[in-house]
Amino acid sequence: MSDPRTAGIAKLVGVVLAAFALTFSLVPLYRVACEKVFGIRLDNTPSAPIADAAASEQHARMVTVIFDGDANSKLPWAFHPEQASMQVRVGEQYGTQYFARNEGGRAIVGSAAPSIAPARASKYFNKTECFCFTAQTLAAGESRDMPVRFIVDPALPDDISTITLSYTFYKNDALTAQLPAHAGAAPGAAP
């Protein structure tokens, strides 16, 4: 007759080995489930050839981005894009700059309002860095290059081949009023 302790230990070892085997089999099972059910590969490569030529063509698609900029008449700033336009490949990040100069006699805070045309392209034009995200303060006579970084989403409708990115700078009266009276005044300016 066998010893009950030996039989118990044998069962325990069997359970441990079964749990060990199950644990290692879960990784390939999980990988197969992700690929077959969700179309996701854990090694970050597509599980099927990328919707073939159509997807490749979509990512090779070029779009023209036109840049525009102006300052509101109440803001004594010169403001314009550094370049008029750019050819961009959808899905890739690009950058450009706008130039601003305070032509007034004291420091002024300005806020930029962006606009995208055509309007339905706005949800496909993603700015990752922009001077328009925060108010800008320029001392009298100060000038600055202001960067914009963006990506045009590959899902942009096919009938849109040109996008216009436009900014209008407005004087931010509330923030300008908070500046010290002589902050950023031009040399020789009256107090």
Side-chain angles (χ1 to χ4, degrees):
M1 184 154 58
S2 69
D3 182 16
R5 280 191 286 172
T6 307
I9 291 174
K11 286 181 183 178
L12 183 61
V13 168
V15 168
V16 168
L17 288 176
F20 186 73
L22 177 65
T23 302
F24 275 94
S25 68
L26 286 179
V27 173
L29 289 173
Y30 180 74
R31 187 177 307 267
V32 168
C34 285
E35 288 179 20
K36 301 299 181 194
V37 177
F38 302 110
I40 300 169
R41 289 190 60 148
L42 298 179
D43 60 0
N44 291 328
T45 61
S47 60
I50 299 181
D52 314 58
S56 292
E57 288 176 24
Q58 186 71 3
H59 288 291
R61 180 176 169 207
M62 299 297 287
V63 175
T64 302
V65 178
I66 298 172
F67 303 104
D68 185 34
D70 199 7
N72 178 275
S73 62
K74 294 182 180 183
L75 180 65
W77 285 11
F79 176 70
H80 58 81
E82 295 276 335
Q83 65 187 96
S85 67
M86 173 187 298
Q87 286 288 115
V88 303
R89 184 177 314 279
V90 297
E92 294 183 14
Q93 184 162 332
Y94 290 87
T96 189
Q97 295 190 97
Y98 279 72
F99 173 82
R101 182 179 57 247
N102 181 351
E103 296 178 341
R106 69 175 300 246
I108 299 174
V109 179
S111 295
S115 173
I116 305 285
R120 65 191 182 95
S122 62
K123 73 179 190 176
Y124 305 99
F125 192 92
N126 304 304
K127 295 182 291 295
T128 59
E129 176 185 344
C130 184
F131 56 86
C132 64
F133 295 160
T134 59
Q136 303 293 321
T137 303
L138 293 178
E142 181 183 3
S143 60
R144 182 179 308 151
D145 286 327
M146 299 181 177
V148 177
R149 295 189 63 76
F150 62 91
I151 299 170
V152 176
D153 190 318
L156 179 74
D158 290 336
D159 64 324
I160 299 175
S161 60
T162 303
I163 298 173
T164 301
L165 172 62
S166 182
Y167 291 97
T168 302
F169 248 109
Y170 295 92
K171 182 178 179 187
N172 189 318
D173 291 321
L175 292 178
T176 299
Q178 294 176 10
L179 295 174
H182 299 293

